[in-house]
Amino acid sequence: MAHQFTISEVCICEAAKVWKDDGEILATGIGLLPRIAVGLAKKLHNPDLMMTDGEAFLIDQPHPLGVGAEPCVDGYMTYSRVFDVLWSGARHAMVTPTQIDKYAHLNISSIGNYAQPKVQLLGVRGFPGNSISHRNSIFIPNHSKKVFVEGSVDMVSSVGFDADDVEPLIGKVITNLGIFDYQGNKNTLRLLSIHSTSSLDEIRDNTGFDFEIFSTDETTNPTKDELDIIRNELDPNNLRSSVIGE
Amino acid sequence: MNKVITTNDFISKLEDGMTIGIGGWGARRKPMSLVREICRSNLKDLTLVSYGGPDIGLLSSCKKIRKLIFGFVSLDLIPLDSHFRNARQSGELPEVVEIDEGMLQWGLRAAGMNLPFLPTRVGIGTDVLKNNPHIKFVESPYDDKEKLVAMPAIKLDVALLHVNESDEKGNTLIFGPDPFFDDLFARAASKTFVSTEKLVDSTSFDKEKVANYNRFERNLVSGIIPDEGGAHPTACNPSYGIDLDHLKEYSKSAKTFDEYQEKYLFVDEATYKKNVGGIKSITSIPLTKF
């Protein structure tokens, strides 16, 4: 019998797979869905992953979100240590930029004219260093031309494929419409699968630049195992339902 | 040497145009009472260096900042700081040096090591370097000849930090889970002023505690300001967490700042504490879960 699931759950299950073959590295999921995805990756795909409590410690097992559980601490990971780890390359993060372009530049700094931005965001944080040091996957809850911009992002916060001497390591790009990577010809964005609720036309209409099509298959459905872990262990209060409007 | 001073003494040591580094991170262990004293003062045209939180927001809305050197400004539980956003979006913040948070660490470390710069790859291929043409490249003198960013030293006139305990000589203990980069701020600065939850007799320090929690030497410390609750509304583990309700009120006040100023800044620090519910209510704020 077919089981019911949401696009958030599809995204979490696909996102978790990005850490499958990473070995013993630090996995960082920034934002709610990526964070649940790291937990699922650790439980299901790669038990060797190191993950943090979001403050200063490594935890042995992901703890359920929003229920005040005390995680089981087994290591120390201050910001200073995070910098040391990330510069060594032993990390794979999943991030949600406000803008992304055809060169895989990400922007979390500001929108509009830099001198007096229309919208001031967070600031570049660690994106320049992350993008030059380790693999980053991307989660976009609101796939649109505002995010996948025509031309360049407004403030280039990370290295892109147009740089001379360096190249970013981009993993998967997981959105509310489909799954992509940047492994098309000359590192073009490439469509890998389309979620059951979306279509190629919808993706085209909502992407501000050309992309290659590797496959238009439907994204893999979550398994019962995956859903059980997400629903019963990682996010029992269904906080994930607020991330993607569905 | 007894380094305990009053907040008036502290303000009298600062001057217009100084470069001031603020320890902590986002909404965690910020020396907020010292920041509020700067807001209450006539000081102006400051260069601020911070892993920014409400310290930067408040100083922006009080128009104390001429130049801001930062990697981000965030309230942690509320991702963006409305005061800082206002300042940027209205064009009222005259100059920003926006760099990667690791470049900020490198700049402070270079200053503390008395070096002109430290090399790094961080920043290459991004607008950080386009927007900051004063940051130059350097070529590796070794066979690799790699082109690297020469992150310049960020020298501070003053560093402001908040700690859990200090004795009157400036032997400090930070019990929070992450000491952040407070040690580097202290080393990068000509003078460091420290507000402390508790002023203690250092004969009570035990070796193990000191080994784990004394993050920098007392010779770096110029003044100690005893101030329980001094990090409010930011967290000071293990005594109290982030005051989310206050941060919400603070966030709303970006548009109607007068009311907030009236209640919290045009009054002295003792009245501030009373107006946020008293020290007991501050120290009963549960520790923040991230």
Side-chain angles (χ1 to χ4, degrees), chain B residues 70-174:
Chain B
F70 76 111
F72 63 85
V73 179
S74 171
L75 305 178
D76 283 313
L77 302 183
I78 303 169
L80 303 176
D81 181 298
S82 55
H83 291 264
F84 167 65
R85 299 184 84 186
N86 261 4
R88 282 283 282 144
Q89 291 169 195
S90 65
E92 279 171 12
L93 192 57
E95 191 182 347
V96 291
V97 175
E98 179 179 356
I99 53 178
D100 179 280
E101 56 201 28
M103 293 171 84
L104 184 48
Q105 181 201 25
W106 243 209
L108 294 172
R109 193 181 279 280
M113 292 168 76
N114 212 11
L115 288 170
F117 68 89
L118 279 170
T120 176
R121 294 191 186 94
V122 178
I124 289 175
T126 72
D127 282 351
V128 164
L129 298 181
K130 191 181 97 185
N131 295 334
N132 296 289
H134 68 281
I135 300 177
K136 311 276 190 215
F137 288 94
V138 65
E139 189 186 277
S140 165
Y142 299 104
D143 291 345
D144 56 270
K145 303 273 186 216
E146 186 173 349
K147 192 173 122 184
L148 297 161
V149 173
M151 180 58 209
I154 303 172
K155 287 187 186 159
L156 307 175
D157 295 309
V158 168
L160 311 181
L161 308 175
H162 187 74
V163 302
N164 297 88
E165 292 185 3
S166 176
D167 70 0
E168 61 179 33
K169 292 179 288 189
N171 290 305
T172 59
L173 301 178
I174 294 172

Side-chain angles (χ1 to χ4, degrees), chain A residues 131-134 159-170 187:
Chain A
S131 65
I132 210 167
S133 307
H134 62 71
V159 177
F161 288 109
D162 63 337
D164 292 334
D165 310 321
V166 290
E167 202 167 87
L169 282 165
I170 301 287
N187 299 109

